[in-house]
Amino acid sequence: MSKILFVMTGVDYWTLADGTEHPTGFWAEEFVVPFQALKAAGHEIVVATPGGVVPTVDRGSLAPEVNGGQEIADQRAGVLATSTELNNPIKLAEADLADYDAVFYPGGHGPMEDLAVDATSGELLTATLDSGKPLAVVCHAPAALLAATKADGGNTFAGYALTGFTNVEETQAGFADKAEWLLQDRLVEIGADFREADPWAPNVVVDRNLITGQNPASSAGVAEELLKKLS
């Protein structure tokens, strides 16, 4: 059995370019699908957030139309309500990488607000990558990679093949013209080798110990690759 740290956003909003706060948080599928896959395999999970606040789910991520129907939406909502791990997070600043075998970052627009500029998270990401332990990041959570810098000032993930929520997907979701910045653009700017697939289709990129998924539909594939590295 392995012990896996889930690092999650601690905010319930995302500040748009005009200064308004869009209600958000984490995306249900991106937590629930990997959570259930890892738990079913017998692994232990600990959730950490900035300040130790209980993560807020983006209510839009529990809509039937983004979950393949009401039954799956209800099932995922039930997992969120009953997960002791999710509802009793530790403070990110108190998480010690030495205690964990892998690190996973679920997405949602929340990480664009807090983890993208969180130095503690950035240090953890750098340490995890350097350690060789599996690091899995999905959808908007690669925003957290922007805060990971090396001693020379460069980004830790420069030169890594990876993916994340694309400009096309953000446009189709209706936020590209409202956002202060776009995730794909910023990941390219830090020197990452961004691998884009068709919008909303599963796309998982593995480069050394880094596993990234493009969108919510990639959550299952990310969990599968993480389980492979833990086996």
Side-chain angles (χ1 to χ4, degrees):
M1 184 181 76
S2 296
K3 191 174 181 181
I4 302 150
L5 182 68
F6 273 41
V7 180
M8 302 181 66
T9 180
V11 298
D12 59 5
Y13 65 93
W14 172 37
T15 305
L16 302 178
D18 65 0
T20 59
E21 294 183 353
H22 172 69
T24 186
F26 70 91
W27 198 258
E29 180 177 0
E30 296 166 29
F31 171 83
V32 173
V33 171
F35 177 81
Q36 290 192 300
L38 292 163
K39 292 276 282 189
H43 300 304
E44 179 183 353
I45 292 169
V46 174
V47 172
T49 63
V53 301
V54 176
T56 297
V57 65
D58 186 316
R59 302 308 302 180
S61 70
L62 291 174
E65 56 268 25
V66 297
N67 286 288
Q70 189 66 54
E71 184 178 350
I72 298 175
D74 290 345
Q75 183 270 331
R76 288 174 177 166
V79 172
L80 300 183
T82 58
S83 166
T84 55
E85 296 90 343
L86 182 68
N87 293 293
N88 295 276
I90 66 170
K91 294 179 181 178
L92 179 56
E94 296 176 358
D96 185 348
L97 179 61
D99 296 334
Y100 302 94
D101 301 292
V103 177
F104 172 61
Y105 278 66
H109 277 115
M112 301 271 283
E113 182 73 27
D114 62 351
L115 297 179
V117 293
D118 190 300
T120 300
S121 171
E123 290 169 3
L124 174 67
L125 287 164
T126 297
T128 306
L129 203 64
D130 290 347
S131 74
K133 294 179 179 181
L135 171 61
V137 194
V138 67
C139 200
H140 284 94
L145 310 187
L146 303 176
T149 54
K150 298 181 290 188
D152 64 6
N155 189 279
T156 301
F157 294 87
Y160 273 78
L162 51 78
T163 190
F165 206 65
T166 67
N167 290 353
V168 173
E169 287 167 326
E170 203 72 87
T171 299
Q172 293 180 359
F175 288 107
D177 60 346
K178 301 173 183 176
E180 190 171 354
W181 49 271
L182 298 179
L183 179 59
Q184 181 176 349
D185 290 346
R186 293 290 296 274
L187 291 172
V188 170
E189 286 172 10
I190 65 170
D193 177 11
F194 193 90
R195 305 286 179 89
E196 178 179 2
D198 292 338
W200 312 108
N203 177 33
V204 178
V205 176
V206 181
D207 186 351
R208 289 157 277 185
N209 58 320
L210 177 65
I211 306 163
T212 51
Q214 180 172 316
N215 46 36
S218 305
S219 302
V222 167
E224 183 179 339
E225 292 296 334
L226 182 53
L227 283 167
K228 285 181 189 176
K229 288 189 179 291
L230 291 170
S231 63

